[in-house]
Amino acid sequence: MNELVKSLPSPTLPGLLLPGADTYKGWLFKWTNYLKGYQRRWFVLSNGLLSYYRTQAEMAYTCRGTIPVATAHIEVGDTCHLVLTSGGRNYHLKATSEGECQRWVSALQQAKANANLLMHHSDDSGDEGPEPQEDRALTQGVLKSLASKLDDLSTCNELIGKHGAALQRSLSELEDLRGSADSTDRVKAVNERATLFRITSNAMINACRDFLDVADSNSRRWQKTLQYEREQRHHLEETIEQLAKQHNSLERAWRENPSSYTGVERSQEGDASDENDEAEFFDAMEDSPAFITVTTSGEIQHKRSGSIQSMMSGGVSNDWTHNENDTSGTMHMQLRRTRRSRIPDKPNYSLNLWSIMKNCIGKDLSKIPMPVNFNEPLSMLQRLTEDLEYSELLDRAARCDSSLEQMCLVAAFSVSSYSTTVHRTAKPFNPLLGETYELDRLEEYGYRSICEQVSHHPPAAAHHVTSQRGWTLWQHITIDSKFRGKYISVVPFGNIHLQFHSSGNHYVWSKVTSTVHNIIVGKLWIDQSGDIDIVNHRTKDTCHLKFSPYSYFSREVPRKVTGVIENREGTASYILSGTWDDKMESAKIVDSSQGCGGSEGKQKTVYQTLQPKLLWKKYPLPDNAENMHFFSSLALTLNEPEEGVAPTDSRLRPDQRLMEAGLWEEANSQKQRLEESQRLDRKRREAQATQALEEGQDLEGYNPLWFEKRTDDTTRESTYMYRGGYWETKDRQDWSQCPQIF
C-alpha cells in the first residue's frame, strides 16, 4: 500500500490545464479506420478548441481537424481510452498511460468548464472591452463559481469517504469469513484500489483549493494590470487622433495654398539660414518612430512605406525632402507624395470554378479567357515589379567589399521575391501586347523600373531597373502555366541579371516553379519548389538554393529554403537557411568534414559554422490585408493612378481599374472587349505576314517599343534588353509612338 501511495501524482497535478494556462499539448493516438487503426497525432488544446496535427511542424501550416470542447461530450473508456462526441461524430483517442489519460481528461473538462463560463459571461458589446466594474464583477463571478464547484467536490469527497469506509469494512468482514488465499489476495487488491481512489480524490480537492487561493490572491494584481493597459491604450488613441488632425490640417492648408509650403526660394549666392530653419521644422515631424498617413477620406492608416525601408538601406527617411533644381539655380523644399495604404475591399462573389476549369486540363491558361473573379487587380508586369519589394538588400550588397558576402545578400533578394506570394493565390492579369508598366522610386529608394510585354503567345515580359545606389537589374521572363486537374503549375523561363556598378560583379539566376493546389476542392494554397543556381560571372562564385516542396509526410519546416555558397575553387564558404515566406539567415563556414552515408550511397558533408546572421526578414502585411487581396505595402501602391505615365501603362487598363474598384461585372465586359481587340490585331498581323510571304517580301515581326533582342556579352544568351528612351520620352511627354491598346 505504501508503494502505491508514493506512486500517486502530486496534488498539483502536473500537466493539468488550469484557467491561467493557455494551452495543453501532447501526443495521442487517434482512431482513423479499420485499415490503419490508431495513428499517432499531435493534439493542442487551446482557447476551448482541441486541434490535431500529423506532426508538430505541421502546426505552422495546416490543421487536420478541430473539436470545440464547449459542446463536446467527454467519456472515459477502459485502458487509457477516451471518447469525444461533437457534432454527431465520435473521436476515439488513446493515451500512452493511465496517468497521461487522466491528465488529458482533466484538461479537457477544465477547458470545457472555462469555455462554458466565458460563453455565459460574454456580452454583445463588440470589440471594446468591459469597464473596470464589469471586470471586477466578472472576476468575482469566476471565483464564486469556482468556490461552488469546490463545495460540490467536497460533498462528493465526503460521500466517497463514507462509501469507501463502508466498502472497506465489508471487505474486511468478507476476508475474515473466507479462508482461501486466492480470495484473500483479490480482496486485498480491491481494498488497495479503493484506498487509492480516496487518496486521489483528496489530491484533486487540494489542487482545486490551491488554485482558488492563487486566483484570489492575484485578482487585484490582474485588475491593476488591466487598468494600466486600458489607460495606455486610451492615451495612445488620443495621441494618434491629435497627430492625425494636425496632419490633416497641414495637408488641407497645403492644398489651398501650395506656394506657401514649397519652402523659401533663394539664389545660390544667398544665405542658407532660412532654408535650414525650414528643414529643421520639417524634420521635426519625423521624431516619432511610427508613421501615420491620413487619407483624403479622413481614415487613419499605419504606413510602413519608404521611410522604414529607406532607413534600412541607409537613405534619408523623410516624408518632407529636399530637391535641388540644377537648371534654374534655385533650391526648393518640396512635399514628397504620400502613397496610398489601402484599396477597396475585395467583394465576395461566388463562382462555380469547376464549370470553367474542367475544360482546361493540360492547356496553357494564358490562351483561355477567364473572368476577373480569378484575378487580382494587378498585371503580370506589376507582379514582376514586386520583386523590388526588398531592394534595400541590393543597396546593402552594392556596399559590400567581399563578393561572397555580396552573394549572400543577392541570394536573400532572390528568395524575398516569393514572400509576397504566400497568400496570393489569385491570377494576375495577362498583359496586352505592348502594355508597359513604370515604377519611379528615385526619391524613396533611388531606382527606376520599366516593364514591357514583348510577346503575347507565349506570354513574355522584359524588365529593366536602374538604381542610383550602385546596381542595375534586368530580366526577360516567359511564363508557361498549365492546369493539371488538381493544381496549376506556373513555370517561368528566362534569367534574371544583376550587375553592380563599382565591382562589375554580374550575377545571373532563374526562378522556381510556383504551384497552386486545391483548385477544385479545399482551400487554395501556393507552394514554391525547385532549385536556383546563382552565378557571379566575374568571380565564378556560385550559390545553390533548394526550395523544398511541401509534403504531407515530411517533418521538415514548410516552405523551407537551404543553400550553400562556394567560391571559384568549389570551397563552401557560407550556409543559407530559412523559409521563403519569412526570413533568410547566413552562417560562415569555419570547417567541414565527411559525415555518414546519405541517400543513394552519397556521403554527407557536415559543416561547422559561426552563429547565423539575419539577412532578410519579411515585412508584416498591412492592416486589413486579408480583404485587400493580401497585398503588401508596395503592392497597394502599384496600381495607384499617376500623371504623366505612358498611355500603355497598366494603371490605365480599364478592366483592371474596374476590378480594383469592386465593379466586377463591368470589369468582365471590358476584359472581353480588350481580349477580342487583341485577337483581331493578331489576325491582322498574321494576314499581313501571309501576304508578304506570298509576294516574296520580308515582313518584320512585332518589335517592342522600349526593348530589343540582343546577345548578352557575359552569358552569350539571346534576351530582350532595354534600348533606352522611355524616361526621356516621359520628360518630353511625347507618347505619339505608343499604340492605343486600351
Side-chain angles (χ1 to χ4, degrees):
M1 176 67 68
N2 292 335
E3 294 179 357
L4 289 172
V5 173
K6 291 179 181 178
S7 65
L8 279 174
S10 64
T12 56
L13 295 178
L16 179 64
L17 176 68
L18 299 177
D22 293 329
T23 59
Y24 188 86
K25 306 176 183 180
W27 291 101
L28 289 174
F29 290 88
K30 175 181 174 292
W31 175 263
T32 55
N33 51 52
Y34 287 100
L35 182 62
K36 296 184 178 180
Y38 282 94
Q39 296 292 316
R40 193 166 180 253
R41 297 288 184 264
W42 179 256
F43 280 79
V44 178
L45 177 61
S46 177
N47 298 325
L49 297 175
L50 180 65
S51 306
Y52 57 92
Y53 310 83
R54 182 178 292 271
T55 63
Q56 290 177 260
E58 207 176 49
M59 291 176 60
Y61 186 68
T62 186
C63 178
R64 300 291 168 182
T66 302
I67 306 170
V69 180
T71 58
H73 174 68
I74 305 170
E75 180 181 352
V76 182
D78 298 331
T79 61
C80 309
H81 284 74
L82 62 147
V83 181
L84 300 182
T85 303
S86 177
R89 181 178 176 183
N90 294 330
Y91 297 86
H92 295 266
L93 308 177
K94 183 171 67 173
T96 55
S97 65
E98 287 283 357
E100 183 67 18
C101 181
Q102 183 61 40
R103 284 192 288 272
W104 271 107
V105 171
S106 301
L108 289 168
Q109 290 175 343
Q110 188 65 63
K112 182 176 181 179
N114 292 343
N116 290 330
L117 187 64
L118 289 176
M119 292 172 61
H120 177 71
H121 286 281
S122 63
D123 54 24
D124 298 328
S125 60
D127 295 333
E128 294 296 328
E131 294 299 322
Q133 294 82 0
E134 296 175 347
D135 286 337
R136 286 193 290 272
L138 180 60
T139 304
Q140 292 172 359
V142 173
L143 295 176
K144 289 181 180 179
S145 177
L146 289 172
S148 175
K149 294 294 182 183
L150 184 60
D151 292 337
D152 294 342
L153 290 172
S154 299
T155 303
C156 292
N157 185 54
E158 292 177 1
L159 294 174
I160 290 173
K162 291 179 181 179
H163 291 300
L167 178 60
Q168 286 182 344
R169 286 195 300 270
S170 299
L171 293 175
S172 298
E173 294 172 357
L174 180 62
E175 185 177 356
D176 294 337
L177 292 175
R178 297 189 178 185
S180 173
D182 182 59
S183 62
T184 301
D185 291 340
R186 291 185 179 181
V187 170
K188 287 183 178 180
V190 174
N191 197 0
E192 289 175 352
R193 288 180 181 272
T195 304
L196 181 64
F197 178 71
R198 191 185 70 232
I199 295 174
T200 305
S201 300
N202 289 333
M204 181 180 63
I205 295 296
N206 293 334
C208 292
R209 183 178 291 109
D210 291 341
F211 168 70
L212 183 61
D213 293 340
V214 172
D216 191 17
S217 62
N218 284 275
S219 61
R220 293 184 179 180
R221 181 172 58 84
W222 294 340
Q223 288 295 330
K224 290 181 180 179
T225 302
L226 183 63
Q227 181 64 22
Y228 174 76
E229 293 297 333
R230 181 177 287 106
E231 291 174 355
Q232 289 295 103
R233 188 185 70 174
H234 182 67
H235 176 69
L236 180 60
E237 289 176 350
E238 289 181 344
T239 303
I240 291 177
E241 184 179 2
Q242 183 179 7
L243 179 59
K245 289 179 179 178
Q246 294 175 355
H247 194 166
N248 198 20
S249 300
L250 183 61
E251 232 176 13
R252 186 167 54 252
W254 178 80
R255 285 196 300 268
E256 293 174 355
N257 191 9
S259 60
S260 62
Y261 286 86
T262 56
V264 180
E265 292 189 4
R266 66 173 184 86
S267 63
Q268 292 182 341
E269 299 83 305
D271 191 359
S273 59
D274 291 341
E275 185 193 21
N276 291 336
D277 291 340
E278 288 290 316
E280 290 175 4
F281 167 74
F282 288 135
D283 289 340
M285 298 286 289
E286 302 240 335
D287 288 342
S288 173
F291 296 85
I292 300 171
T293 300
V294 182
T295 63
T296 53
S297 60
E299 293 182 81
I300 300 177
Q301 301 291 333
H302 291 278
K303 179 187 177 189
R304 183 196 50 78
S305 66
S307 303
I308 297 178
Q309 294 190 18
S310 299
M311 285 189 289
M312 295 184 65
S313 60
V316 180
S317 58
N318 291 332
D319 282 344
W320 302 83
T321 59
H322 304 279
N323 181 32
E324 292 187 4
N325 190 333
D326 296 331
T327 58
S328 62
T330 61
M331 185 174 291
H332 300 278
M333 190 85 64
Q334 292 186 346
L335 178 66
R336 174 180 291 178
R337 172 178 180 174
T338 300
R339 303 193 183 276
R340 68 182 184 181
S341 58
R342 65 169 295 111
I343 59 175
D345 288 356
K346 175 184 177 182
N348 186 18
Y349 288 139
S350 61
L351 186 68
N352 188 349
L353 180 62
W354 178 244
S355 64
I356 297 175
M357 301 300 292
K358 64 183 179 181
N359 298 320
C360 304
I361 298 177
K363 297 181 179 179
D364 185 351
L365 293 185
S366 64
K367 298 181 180 180
I368 299 170
M370 293 280 188
V372 299
N373 304 56
F374 299 132
N375 289 83
E376 62 180 18
L378 290 177
S379 74
M380 191 62 202
L381 302 181
Q382 291 164 312
R383 285 291 290 267
L384 274 181
T385 307
E386 269 194 88
D387 288 357
L388 303 172
E389 175 95 25
Y390 298 94
S391 62
E392 72 272 5
L393 291 171
L394 301 184
D395 298 339
R396 289 164 52 192
R399 298 192 295 268
C400 283
D401 296 327
S402 168
S403 62
L404 293 174
E405 292 179 1
Q406 189 177 75
M407 175 69 85
C408 291
L409 291 168
V410 172
F413 174 78
S414 69
V415 175
S416 69
S417 62
Y418 298 98
S419 64
T420 61
T421 67
V422 62
H423 301 296
R424 303 267 290 278
T425 55
K427 175 179 175 289
F429 279 79
N430 287 332
L432 303 177
L433 186 63
E435 186 174 334
T436 61
Y437 180 74
E438 69 158 72
L439 189 68
D440 189 345
R441 293 291 191 268
L442 278 180
E443 283 191 19
E444 296 96 326
Y445 312 131
Y447 68 77
R448 274 178 164 179
S449 166
I450 176 65
C451 288
E452 183 178 8
Q453 187 77 357
V454 297
S455 172
H456 188 62
H457 287 305
H463 184 203
H464 184 269
V465 190
T466 301
S467 172
Q468 294 178 340
R469 298 176 183 174
W471 53 269
T472 299
L473 181 145
W474 66 95
Q475 57 181 321
H476 170 212
I477 300 296
T478 302
I479 302 295
D480 180 25
S481 55
K482 293 290 181 65
F483 177 48
R484 305 297 184 182
K486 293 183 180 180
Y487 62 90
I488 292 176
S489 63
V490 181
V491 184
F493 296 99
N495 289 326
I496 303 171
H497 296 254
L498 172 66
Q499 188 166 21
F500 291 98
H501 302 165
S502 59
S503 63
N505 288 337
H506 186 164
Y507 296 87
V508 180
W509 70 94
S510 58
K511 290 179 174 287
V512 296
T513 299
S514 302
T515 307
V516 183
H517 295 270
N518 291 347
I519 295 298
I520 304 304
V521 179
K523 183 179 179 181
L524 292 174
W525 61 278
I526 194 167
D527 194 22
Q528 314 288 349
S529 59
D531 296 342
I532 292 180
D533 289 307
I534 307 176
V535 180
N536 183 344
H537 284 269
R538 192 185 73 85
T539 64
K540 307 304 178 184
D541 299 335
T542 60
C543 173
H544 179 77
L545 293 173
K546 180 177 178 59
F547 287 65
S548 300
Y550 173 77
S551 173
Y552 184 83
F553 303 100
S554 175
R555 295 187 178 183
E556 294 285 351
V557 177
R559 310 181 184 96
K560 183 179 179 181
V561 180
T562 55
V564 179
I565 293 177
E566 298 179 346
N567 59 21
R568 65 185 308 157
E569 287 81 20
T571 303
S573 302
Y574 286 89
I575 290 291
L576 304 178
S577 62
T579 57
W580 54 262
D581 68 323
D582 184 24
K583 64 179 181 179
M584 286 296 294
E585 295 177 334
S586 68
K588 186 177 179 60
I589 298 173
V590 295
D591 192 18
S592 63
S593 60
Q594 295 297 324
C596 300
S599 60
E600 301 179 0
K602 298 180 180 179
Q603 279 192 321
K604 292 183 178 179
T605 303
V606 179
Y607 295 108
Q608 182 180 353
T609 67
L610 301 177
Q611 286 294 326
K613 295 181 180 180
L614 182 67
L615 294 172
W616 158 76
K617 175 73 175 175
K618 180 186 176 182
Y619 298 136
L621 289 175
D623 294 338
N624 196 41
E626 65 276 8
N627 295 320
M628 298 187 296
H629 309 274
F630 287 99
F631 281 178
S632 64
S633 296
L634 174 63
L636 288 174
T637 67
L638 293 181
N639 207 42
E640 186 175 10
E642 291 192 12
E643 297 180 357
V645 299
T648 54
D649 196 273
S650 298
R651 298 176 180 87
L652 305 177
R653 182 165 172 164
D655 52 350
Q656 187 173 302
R657 178 65 57 195
L658 288 168
M659 184 199 174
E660 183 186 277
L663 305 174
W664 285 18
E665 292 185 5
E666 295 86 342
N668 276 319
S669 300
Q670 288 292 330
K671 188 171 185 289
Q672 293 176 7
R673 179 185 66 82
L674 293 174
E675 290 173 347
E676 181 61 28
S677 175
Q678 185 167 235
R679 279 191 288 270
L680 293 176
D681 288 342
R682 187 178 70 251
K683 290 179 180 179
R684 177 180 53 79
R685 287 193 300 271
E686 291 174 351
Q688 291 176 351
T690 302
Q691 182 179 357
L693 184 62
E694 292 175 351
E695 297 176 356
Q697 299 177 358
D698 292 333
L699 182 64
E700 197 172 340
Y702 176 80
N703 289 319
L705 194 56
W706 310 111
F707 289 81
E708 62 183 358
K709 207 162 192 177
R710 296 203 301 258
T711 300
D712 186 87
D713 296 335
T714 303
T715 62
R716 310 309 301 171
E717 64 173 333
S718 180
T719 182
Y720 278 96
M721 303 180 71
Y722 181 54
R723 73 169 77 210
Y726 178 86
W727 303 107
E728 293 79 7
T729 303
K730 181 181 180 181
D731 292 339
R732 298 193 306 269
Q733 282 298 296
D734 179 15
W735 304 112
S736 56
Q737 55 183 331
C738 292
Q740 299 298 320
I741 59 175
F742 299 141

